[in-house]
Amino acid sequence: MRLLIHDYAGHPFQIQLSRELARRGHTVLHAFAGELQTPRGELTRRADDPAGFSVQEVAMDPDYAKHKYSFRRRRSMEIAYGRRLAALIADWKPEAVLSSNTPTETQQPAL
């Protein structure tokens, strides 16, 4: 199955899940938000990763960290990110999408 796993935060468990699904024969694209400052998993391709596994950063506004406490600016940046995520989904054409740790308004364009 062709799967797109999106973990906004890039936490360790979700990238481990993506690697395991790829090891079990699925084609997996693991996507995450690039500018968030959170604890991260290993979000790069390793030499021992299966052929059907890839990782892609979805670009965020480079000013995100500077404006993350401004509700209006942050909201508009998260919606714009959601549009970029939706474009990735449309281009990659997965059979299923699992998306986690993502603000609700960011998820809307992806739906």
Side-chain angles (χ1 to χ4, degrees):
M1 180 176 270
R2 192 170 167 87
L3 303 170
L4 190 143
I5 310 293
H6 171 254
D7 176 36
Y8 189 67
H11 291 313
F13 171 74
Q14 288 83 349
I15 190 77
Q16 291 170 348
L17 173 64
S18 293
R19 284 189 165 96
E20 182 59 29
L21 289 168
R23 276 190 192 87
R24 293 180 183 208
H26 299 284
T27 301
V28 178
L29 174 58
H30 186 92
F32 66 97
E35 297 294 322
L36 292 179
Q37 297 172 352
T38 64
R40 300 282 183 134
E42 193 173 345
L43 296 168
T44 56
R45 191 159 161 70
R46 303 184 313 212
D48 65 336
D49 281 333
F53 174 78
S54 58
V55 179
Q56 182 169 336
E57 176 182 336
V58 178
M60 294 186 77
D61 188 305
D63 290 333
Y64 182 84
K66 184 168 67 172
H67 297 292
K68 76 179 199 175
Y69 296 110
S70 168
F71 176 77
R72 292 176 70 191
R73 292 286 303 269
R74 180 176 178 160
R75 180 178 180 270
S76 68
M77 290 179 190
E78 289 173 347
I79 292 169
Y81 174 90
R83 289 186 190 117
R84 287 188 288 279
L85 174 61
L88 173 62
I89 293 168
D91 290 345
W92 205 69
K93 297 177 181 31
E95 294 173 71
V97 175
L98 282 69
S99 187
S100 64
N101 300 314
T102 307
T104 305
E105 291 177 323
T106 303
Q107 296 277 40
Q108 184 61 40
L111 288 174

